[in-house]
Amino acid sequence: MGQVSRIVVVGGGQAGGQAVDSLRREGFDGEVLLVTAEDQPPYQRPPLSKDYLAGRTGLDRVLLRPAEFYAESSIELLTGTRAASIDPGAHRVELATGRTLDYDRLLLATGSRVRRLDGMPGAHLEGVLYLRTVEDSDRIRAAMDSAERLVVVGGGYIGLEVASVAVEAGLAVTVVETLPRLLSRVATSELAAYYAELHRGRGVDLRLGSAVAGFRDDGSGAVGSVALADGSEIAANLVVAGIGIEPVTDLARAAGIDCENGIAVDSGCRTSAPDVFAAGDCTSHPNAFFGRRVRLESVPNAMDQGRVAAAAMLGADRVYESEPWFWSDQHGVRLQMAGLSEGADRTVLRGAYGDESFIAFHLRDGVLIGVDAVNSVREFIFCRRLVAARARPDPDALADASVPVRTLLPAR
């Protein structure tokens, strides 16, 4: 690799924010520029549907690093600035402002965008909102102050977390999910059933196997009800659509960079273009845990890839090989997941679904491939290590709550 004196990072999410921090921690003393279309420095997204939305956490606690970190670290932070195009051959980024940035290394950390309902009747009405940014969360929180009835479109984690906050705020909440159960992409049917009962127990109306057909005007240009495909309507003066996200690959595709369910990178976050790297939600990568190329929508993936990309841009032979993990908070219940349940041929329960705390261990051919832990924060640390080690724990010991999980870790 040639001499590196200037690195440009496009994207102000957790991958981009972690990357610029890691560059300085790795000892890079050249120019670092971070370009983000958002008006804020890089921040954490998970609180936007949890404590930040509920008003329990302020913006200062959501920022990935304090605002002064960037100046103190000699990082040029260009907020409210969109990258219009990149030219890998010329090693240049053109900004929407007309300014051009030459680079020795470029990191694309463009993240993801929400899937929208723009083609649906009434999707333009006031009160039909989405959640992805700080500004989105601010709008939803402000709308909840005057709303009485909320409809959440989509039964995934984001929608369910919003439903949890809204119920606590005193709103009547209905969740509409097209598929016959919640969390269909990411959870077992047993865990989904547990969460369905949890939400129903807190007063959430679940409409499973129901499709939204459109939104009705209340006569003032604002949403007044949600129309379902079966002809029924649900009164609502606030709608939050959480129907998934898609990777932002526009810049990469326009520049001729290979994309495959995201910007395709190798285990060192390198793209098909020389000196161009990518990290976070926008990427797909070869994953040893899954045994195939995957795109992970998770904070740990973004942070880990940000660190690997920083090292790789400086010439280090660092490899991304972390096991996937995720968490969610709903109605005061903390769920933590590591690995995956898909493909398991046996599930061992420590406790029972519905207990105050329980753990589901998922095994395939005797190997632990995934864990779902509810209100088991201390044990989850060791559950992750078991999954990462491809351990073959004794199923009877897994089920026995008197056996600490740490004692099941294989000897080194």
Side-chain angles (χ1 to χ4, degrees):
M1 299 178 74
Q3 179 66 30
V4 182
S5 60
R6 174 186 269 198
I7 294 177
V8 174
V9 176
V10 175
Q14 298 204 216
Q18 180 61 56
V20 296
D21 183 21
S22 294
L23 284 169
R24 292 306 188 214
R25 291 177 184 271
E26 294 279 349
F28 180 63
D29 60 2
E31 289 184 82
V32 177
L33 299 91
L34 189 150
V35 180
T36 173
E38 296 196 53
D39 293 330
Q40 310 294 341
Y43 58 85
Q44 306 169 68
R45 295 197 188 276
L48 302 186
S49 57
K50 304 179 182 74
D51 285 351
Y52 183 81
L53 180 62
R56 292 188 292 264
T57 294
L59 181 59
D60 59 325
R61 299 290 298 276
V62 172
L63 295 179
L64 197 59
R65 300 287 183 271
E68 58 271 19
F69 160 82
Y70 302 93
E72 292 173 352
S73 303
S74 299
I75 296 167
E76 185 176 350
L77 179 61
L78 303 175
T79 58
T81 304
R82 186 177 62 84
S85 65
I86 60 175
D87 184 341
H91 282 56
R92 183 170 298 139
V93 178
E94 181 174 349
L95 306 181
T97 60
R99 180 182 175 185
T100 59
L101 304 175
D102 293 331
Y103 64 83
D104 298 306
R105 303 287 183 270
L106 171 65
L107 175 65
L108 298 176
T110 47
S112 52
R113 62 170 69 95
V114 294
R115 298 184 185 278
R116 298 181 62 88
L117 299 168
D118 291 338
M120 188 167 287
H124 64 284
L125 291 171
E126 180 183 346
V128 178
L129 303 177
Y130 303 84
L131 177 53
R132 186 63 183 162
T133 67
V134 162
E135 290 77 12
D136 292 337
S137 190
D138 288 341
R139 277 190 287 270
I140 294 171
R141 184 169 56 182
M144 287 197 306
D145 288 342
S146 57
E148 297 177 352
R149 302 189 64 85
L150 164 68
V151 170
V152 174
V153 181
Y157 284 117
I158 297 297
L160 294 178
E161 288 169 358
V162 170
S164 172
V165 172
V167 164
E168 184 179 325
L171 278 71
V173 179
T174 302
V175 174
V176 180
E177 167 56 50
T178 304
L179 296 175
R181 69 176 178 89
L182 300 175
L183 305 170
S184 57
R185 283 197 312 123
V186 292
T188 64
S189 58
E190 293 84 0
L191 187 62
Y194 164 78
Y195 270 97
E197 289 308 305
L198 175 66
H199 280 270
R200 288 187 177 113
R202 301 301 173 89
V204 178
D205 179 12
L206 300 181
R207 304 289 183 93
L208 306 180
S210 298
V212 173
F215 308 97
R216 303 285 191 249
D217 194 326
D218 69 354
S220 69
V223 65
S225 65
V226 178
L228 302 184
D230 63 7
S232 63
E233 290 192 20
I234 306 169
N237 42 19
L238 176 61
V239 172
V240 176
I243 56 172
I245 58 178
E246 57 187 18
V248 177
T249 60
D250 311 64
L251 288 172
R253 289 184 183 280
I257 295 172
D258 291 348
C259 293
E260 180 184 345
N261 185 30
I263 303 170
V265 299
D266 66 9
S267 58
C269 295
R270 303 171 189 87
T271 73
S272 62
D275 301 324
V276 180
F277 299 73
D281 282 5
C282 65
T283 69
S284 66
H285 65 276
N287 188 286
F289 185 89
F290 288 93
R292 55 184 169 84
R293 178 173 289 277
V294 299
R295 183 173 63 84
L296 295 176
E297 301 168 0
S298 76
V299 169
N301 173 70
M303 303 291 276
D304 289 343
Q305 281 197 321
R307 296 184 186 98
V308 169
M313 286 190 288
L314 300 179
D317 190 18
R318 200 78 54 85
V319 173
Y320 174 77
E321 53 186 0
S322 299
E323 80 286 348
W325 65 281
F326 177 83
W327 76 93
S328 178
D329 291 312
Q330 301 169 44
H331 301 296
V333 173
R334 165 62 65 97
L335 167 67
Q336 295 167 289
M337 307 172 76
L340 70 161
S341 58
E342 180 184 350
D345 54 33
R346 182 176 184 181
T347 294
V348 176
L349 271 179
R350 176 173 291 209
Y353 291 107
D355 287 354
E356 183 176 343
S357 64
F358 61 87
I359 305 175
F361 297 94
H362 306 293
L363 301 101
R364 181 172 60 215
D365 298 328
V367 177
L368 185 66
I369 63 171
V371 172
D372 303 328
V374 170
N375 289 336
S376 304
V377 176
R378 292 184 179 179
E379 292 285 61
F380 181 72
I381 298 170
F382 302 105
C383 291
R384 278 187 60 198
R385 290 170 60 183
L386 273 178
V387 171
R390 312 293 198 275
R392 292 178 171 273
D394 175 7
D396 290 337
L398 288 178
D400 188 347
S402 70
V403 179
V405 175
R406 60 180 170 78
T407 65
L408 304 180
L409 289 168
R412 294 186 176 182

